[in-house]
Amino acid sequence: MRATVLVRPKPGILDPEGEAVESSLRQLGFAVDEARVGRVIDLELADADADAARAELERACEQLLANPLIESYEIELHS
Amino acid sequence: MRATVLVRPKPGILDPEGEAVESSLRQLGFAVDEARVGRVIDLELADADADAARAELERACEQLLANPLIESYEIELHS
């Protein structure tokens, strides 16, 4: 089963990469009010069961893929 | 207008970060066949028109947000 995990800095948490992107885009002439940068992780899982896969991914996010103190995550399963 | 840009390493392009995530997940006991890591960029645009915003974002991806030689990008507009 394929899955996509989106990991983003939580609102209010400093995001230096996003600030750099925002300022570079403005310098290039793009009208941007805000930019925030996170990670997208595409996974191919051995699990075929959606509920089991989601539970595994939540554990993986808490343990490795995200830092729950400062990042939020979103899990998308593709059948 | 809010937009999300997903930037991913193209198929066949080496992805050391993805390999590190894959091997760490396996060491933690997760059954993962492949992991690829890219970036998610959330933007708040001044443009209110969807077509104009998409055209601007494509230019931004080509110029700054992605490296078109080795990365693909996907643009999602949120109304």
Side-chain angles (χ1 to χ4, degrees), chain B residues 50-70:
Chain B
D51 288 343
R54 187 172 291 275
E56 281 281 271
L57 282 173
E58 271 173 23
R59 282 206 309 125
C61 284
E62 297 286 335
Q63 284 183 42
L64 180 84
L65 300 178
N67 177 346
L69 284 177
I70 57 169

Side-chain angles (χ1 to χ4, degrees), chain A residues 16-37:
Chain A
E17 198 177 347
E19 284 171 21
V21 164
E22 184 182 326
S23 117
S24 300
L25 283 172
R26 285 216 189 110
Q27 276 168 34
L28 289 170
F30 295 102
V32 178
D33 289 333
E34 200 192 10
R36 305 276 287 174
V37 176

Side-chain angles (χ1 to χ4, degrees), chain A:
Chain A
M1 172 168 288
R2 290 191 54 74
T4 299
V5 177
L6 298 170
V7 179
R8 295 175 159 111
K10 286 187 178 171
I13 296 290
L14 269 185
D15 171 22
E17 198 177 347
E19 284 171 21
V21 164
E22 184 182 326
S23 117
S24 300
L25 283 172
R26 285 216 189 110
Q27 276 168 34
L28 289 170
F30 295 102
V32 178
D33 289 333
E34 200 192 10
R36 305 276 287 174
V37 176
R39 295 185 300 290
V40 53
I41 304 146
D42 292 306
L43 296 156
E44 184 70 49
L45 303 171
D47 256 320
D49 176 65
D51 287 345
R54 186 173 291 277
E56 282 281 271
L57 282 172
E58 271 173 23
R59 280 207 308 125
C61 284
E62 297 286 334
Q63 283 183 41
L64 181 84
L65 300 178
N67 177 345
L69 284 177
I70 57 169
E71 294 173 322
S72 63
Y73 57 84
E74 191 180 327
I75 295 169
E76 294 168 9
L77 294 175
H78 316 290
S79 57

Side-chain angles (χ1 to χ4, degrees), chain B:
Chain B
M1 173 170 287
R2 290 192 55 74
T4 299
V5 177
L6 298 169
V7 178
R8 296 174 159 111
K10 286 187 177 171
I13 296 289
L14 270 185
D15 172 23
E17 199 177 346
E19 285 172 21
V21 164
E22 186 181 325
S23 117
S24 299
L25 283 173
R26 285 215 190 110
Q27 278 169 34
L28 289 170
F30 295 102
V32 178
D33 289 331
E34 201 193 7
R36 305 276 286 173
V37 176
R39 296 185 299 290
V40 52
I41 304 145
D42 293 306
L43 295 157
E44 183 71 50
L45 303 171
D47 255 320
D49 176 66
D51 288 343
R54 187 172 291 275
E56 281 281 271
L57 282 173
E58 271 173 23
R59 282 206 309 125
C61 284
E62 297 286 335
Q63 284 183 42
L64 180 84
L65 300 178
N67 177 346
L69 284 177
I70 57 169
E71 294 174 321
S72 62
Y73 56 83
E74 191 180 325
I75 295 169
E76 294 167 7
L77 293 175
H78 317 289
S79 56

